[in-house]
Amino acid sequence: MSPVFPMLTVLTMFYYMCLRRRARTATRGDMMNSHRTIVSNSRTSPLNAEVVQYAKEVVDFSSHYGSENSMSYTMWNLAGVPNVFPSSGDFTQTAVFRTYGTWWDQCPSASLPFRRTPSSFQSQDYVELTFEQQVYPTAVHVLETYHPGAVIRILACSANPYSPNPPAEVRWEILWSERPMKVNASQARQFKPCIKQINFPTNLIRLEVNSSLLDYYTELDAVVLHGTKDKPLLSLKTALVDMNDLEDDDYEEKDGCEMDALNKKFSSAALGDGPHNGYFDKLPYELIQLILNHLSLPDLCRLAQTCRLLHQHCCDPLQYIHLNLQPYWARLDDTSLEFLQARCVLVQWLNLSWTGNRGFISVSGFSRFLKVCGSELVRLELSCSHFLNDTCLEVISEMCPNLQDLNLSSCDKLPPQAFGHIAKLCSLKRLVLYRTKVEQTALLSILNFCAELQHLSLGSCVMIEDYDVIASMIGAKCKNLRTLDLWRCKNITENGIAELASGCVLLEELDLGWCPTLQSSTGCFVRLARQLPNLQKLFLTANRSVCDTDIEELASNCTRLQQLDILGLKQVFKTVRIVAPL
């Protein structure tokens, strides 16, 4: 037989594998999209035709630029038909996240990154949208009106938020994923990534974004879900194969099985005995530990299945001093925490941000974990962890006596009374309460007992009645404060600024963006410039009264200033150069 035929067979199999991979991963955004015209919010026709629908409701998000009591620049603008598209530009009727670029990671309030964060996890923010009808998705279109390119992941959930009965199982599936890429255009576009087919209907879609490569805020106008009511036949896509796909890590699919490794309890009894572990038997214990320190968490769990020696190393609590579980939010549950519990008795940094929602983590499961693993905790990240309640914060205050860093950003479902427990954490140095319902009484108690605070975020805390009282307490009690976020605080005046400036002379970062009650004519900004010479970052966003005199005072007195936001000012006419040290 001619050798040509085996070669053809090999090539055919290779081409088939390439097509399968292309159909499965569904990356490279616009390659395989059809151009559909949306004519209504929902349309159906016989023979399982496509249903096209706009988002009905925004049910969860991690941040937004706008106010909690407004519609301007908020995530709620993603619900319904487009307000702006196809127009381009900066419009208040769009959805805008709080940050962009890399400068937020370079300011004094920025936290150090966690070790063992997988390179595939690049998400910084998210928004979840519901739709009227459950469908099997065939396309998801995102209408971007300004500085596009932030969306990096699209996921679908099996749970129906409008069902009266709780689901027996909640699954998240990645429809499309891509690493951050620079888009060299600021104009509007209809982003139409090629999504993969899934085997369950959905009406809950999640967008995850990374804005680090953007030159300005991204603005989103609407999201359109295309799908069919009946399950489509899985078909092999016959579009051209992008050969670059063959070189990339298939991290989209790895995400789906990583937590499976965490959810299994492996017994060392079934593992092989030495001394047949190769050179590992001859290496010092500390050296093996150093090598394993470079593995991701799921890989560490998989390696524990190989032999007794490596099982011992992989279960060593020293490997879990820093534990970042945020990348695995879609599958982390009580079982995962129970499995990790014995390994995490020495954990000092723990990131549970975005985790536990929709019943994945229970209050009892979280409490059991902290009762075993909370004694050494120094840093606890719980951003957007909506399973938290009053009991959880009470457990944190009792089981984490050494806690110095607590992040409750966007935990907007926490009841106001829960925040009183934070006052027991007297060693706190960093506290993030952005977009929470903390009330004035609880916050005053926290400030009174947590005198070591160095970083405090109170942005968009709408339940605080009098920010002047809060500023006065901060100035009196928090002498070591270095960063303070008062973004969109609604009623601080020159009196609060005076107390703040005189009491917190070490301030390096101050955010007074969108604080409408501050007036330059009172001399409040001149006071800040003269009394806070260590300022490196100052946000005065949208304060229409800031004038040339204020800017000149900042230039003369704040010689370390590196980040100054005066966007939206109307009274500044001169160009003043502010020199910051390299």
Side-chain angles (χ1 to χ4, degrees):
M1 182 180 293
S2 171
V4 174
F5 293 103
M7 181 59 67
L8 287 176
T9 302
V10 171
L11 290 175
T12 302
M13 292 178 62
F14 177 76
Y15 182 66
Y16 175 78
M17 292 171 61
C18 291
L19 292 179
R20 282 290 299 272
R21 190 177 192 281
R22 159 56 81 193
R24 186 177 67 250
T25 57
T27 57
R28 307 296 181 212
D30 299 322
M31 285 191 61
M32 294 156 45
N33 290 292
S34 61
H35 299 276
R36 303 180 180 91
T37 302
I38 302 170
V39 296
S40 66
N41 185 52
S42 178
R43 69 172 188 227
T44 59
S45 60
L47 300 178
N48 198 27
E50 189 174 62
V51 177
V52 181
Q53 50 187 332
Y54 292 102
K56 177 181 179 181
E57 187 180 359
V58 176
V59 292
D60 192 20
F61 56 90
S62 56
S63 79
H64 58 184
Y65 186 86
S67 168
E68 299 301 295
N69 299 320
S70 170
M71 288 297 291
S72 298
Y73 298 121
T74 63
M75 288 298 116
W76 298 303
N77 286 320
L78 277 176
V81 298
N83 299 308
V84 174
F85 191 86
S87 298
S88 297
D90 184 6
F91 292 90
T92 61
Q93 301 95 325
T94 57
V96 184
F97 291 97
R98 175 93 189 263
T99 67
Y100 74 92
T102 58
W103 59 328
W104 294 85
D105 296 326
Q106 300 166 0
C107 59
S109 61
S111 298
L112 294 175
F114 274 75
R115 297 200 303 261
R116 278 205 171 101
T117 300
S119 59
S120 61
F121 183 75
Q122 300 285 332
S123 302
Q124 297 174 331
D125 275 298
Y126 73 86
V127 58
E128 292 181 2
L129 308 159
T130 60
F131 295 80
E132 185 71 34
Q133 302 182 54
Q134 280 194 315
V135 295
Y136 290 91
T138 56
V140 177
H141 295 177
V142 183
L143 307 187
E144 303 170 291
T145 56
Y146 204 39
H147 290 274
V151 179
I152 61 169
R153 285 215 305 184
I154 302 176
L155 301 97
C157 185
S158 61
N160 181 358
Y162 301 120
S163 174
N165 302 317
E169 179 187 16
V170 179
R171 293 173 51 198
W172 283 96
E173 190 77 30
I174 298 174
L175 300 179
W176 170 86
S177 181
E178 186 62 273
R179 289 181 173 88
M181 297 179 65
K182 178 74 171 180
V183 176
N184 296 317
S186 61
Q187 301 305 305
R189 73 169 183 175
Q190 186 173 359
F191 181 50
K192 301 182 290 185
C194 179
I195 66 172
K196 76 174 183 180
Q197 295 180 351
I198 57 176
N199 60 3
F200 59 82
T202 184
N203 63 340
L204 178 57
I205 295 294
R206 175 176 170 125
L207 307 182
E208 294 186 358
V209 304
N210 182 307
S211 302
S212 61
L213 300 182
L214 300 185
D215 297 324
Y216 195 65
Y217 296 97
T218 191
E219 299 192 7
L220 311 179
D221 192 13
V223 176
V224 192
L225 174 62
H226 297 239
T228 57
K229 297 292 290 182
D230 297 325
K231 185 175 181 180
L233 295 175
L234 293 177
S235 60
L236 192 63
K237 306 290 185 180
T238 55
L240 293 176
V241 175
D242 187 342
M243 296 306 291
N244 291 326
D245 280 353
L246 302 179
E247 300 172 4
D248 293 342
D249 292 331
D250 192 7
Y251 64 93
E252 296 93 342
E253 290 214 344
K254 282 180 63 180
D255 285 347
C257 61
E258 279 178 336
M259 288 313 300
D260 291 340
L262 296 185
N263 290 337
K264 297 176 182 177
K265 294 186 177 182
F266 303 117
S267 172
S268 61
L271 299 174
D273 295 316
H276 304 295
N277 300 309
Y279 291 105
F280 279 98
D281 285 324
K282 301 179 180 180
L283 293 177
Y285 191 94
E286 295 79 5
L287 182 56
I288 299 178
Q289 285 287 294
L290 183 61
I291 295 172
L292 299 188
N293 196 46
H294 294 278
L295 293 179
S296 68
L297 180 61
D299 287 340
L300 200 64
C301 294
R302 294 186 188 103
L303 188 63
Q305 305 173 62
T306 55
C307 66
R308 287 181 179 271
L309 176 66
L310 292 181
H311 184 276
Q312 178 185 359
H313 280 283
C314 292
C315 293
D316 192 318
L318 292 176
Q319 288 290 339
Y320 303 87
I321 298 295
H322 288 194
L323 184 61
N324 184 7
L325 296 175
Q326 182 182 4
Y328 318 109
W329 64 265
R331 291 176 180 265
L332 190 78
D333 57 16
D334 283 351
T335 304
S336 310
L337 293 182
E338 184 179 355
F339 169 60
L340 290 169
Q341 187 170 288
R343 306 181 181 195
C344 298
V345 293
L346 299 180
V347 63
Q348 296 177 9
W349 286 18
L350 176 62
N351 189 356
L352 286 171
S353 294
W354 301 6
T355 65
N357 300 335
R358 294 186 173 82
F360 274 58
I361 293 179
S362 66
V363 172
S364 58
F366 175 76
S367 301
R368 286 195 301 270
F369 185 80
L370 274 199
K371 287 176 181 178
V372 175
C373 308
S375 61
E376 301 297 323
L377 268 182
V378 175
R379 177 179 175 185
L380 181 57
E381 302 281 341
L382 292 169
S383 173
C384 304
S385 297
H386 300 310
F387 67 89
L388 295 173
N389 65 3
D390 182 86
T391 300
C392 293
L393 262 62
E394 183 178 10
V395 170
I396 292 173
S397 67
E398 294 176 352
M399 297 297 139
C400 307
N402 300 310
L403 199 63
Q404 300 179 14
D405 189 333
L406 177 62
N407 183 357
L408 297 173
S409 173
S410 288
C411 290
D412 55 337
K413 294 178 175 57
L414 264 173
Q417 68 270 16
F419 295 93
H421 297 294
I422 299 177
K424 303 173 188 176
L425 300 170
C426 299
S427 299
L428 275 183
K429 294 183 178 179
R430 176 174 175 261
L431 177 61
V432 180
L433 297 177
Y434 167 72
R435 288 193 66 240
T436 63
K437 292 183 174 65
V438 61
E439 291 182 328
Q440 187 161 309
T441 303
L443 184 55
L444 289 173
S445 179
I446 293 170
L447 295 173
N448 186 51
F449 289 99
C450 302
E452 299 301 316
L453 278 173
Q454 298 181 14
H455 308 280
L456 178 61
S457 173
L458 300 175
S460 293
C461 292
V462 297
M463 303 292 286
I464 298 175
E465 300 170 357
D466 191 339
Y467 271 96
D468 278 349
V469 174
I470 297 300
S472 178
M473 179 65 83
I474 292 174
K477 294 290 185 177
C478 303
K479 301 297 184 180
N480 297 321
L481 199 67
R482 297 182 180 274
T483 72
L484 178 61
D485 180 4
L486 295 177
W487 171 265
R488 292 190 181 275
C489 68
K490 57 186 178 182
N491 52 30
I492 193 169
T493 69
E494 65 276 7
N495 298 324
I497 293 297
E499 297 282 352
L500 194 63
S502 61
C504 302
V505 295
L506 299 179
L507 270 179
E508 300 173 1
E509 177 180 334
L510 180 60
D511 192 334
L512 296 171
W514 294 90
C515 295
T517 50
L518 292 177
Q519 295 297 317
S520 173
S521 58
T522 64
C524 59
F525 300 124
V526 172
R527 181 188 293 271
L528 284 177
R530 293 178 178 176
Q531 293 188 276
L532 301 177
N534 295 319
L535 278 179
Q536 299 178 33
K537 170 186 172 181
L538 177 62
F539 273 27
L540 301 175
T541 319
N543 191 301
R544 318 299 182 187
S545 69
V546 175
C547 61
D548 288 335
T549 302
D550 301 319
I551 304 301
E552 289 171 351
E553 288 287 342
L554 288 170
S556 300
N557 296 285
C558 302
T559 57
R560 300 180 61 191
L561 199 60
Q562 299 178 22
Q563 300 178 16
L564 177 63
D565 188 340
I566 53 175
L567 182 69
L569 274 56
K570 297 181 178 180
Q571 304 298 321
V572 175
F573 302 102
K574 296 180 181 179
T575 301
V576 180
R577 184 184 181 194
I578 300 179
V579 181
L582 297 176

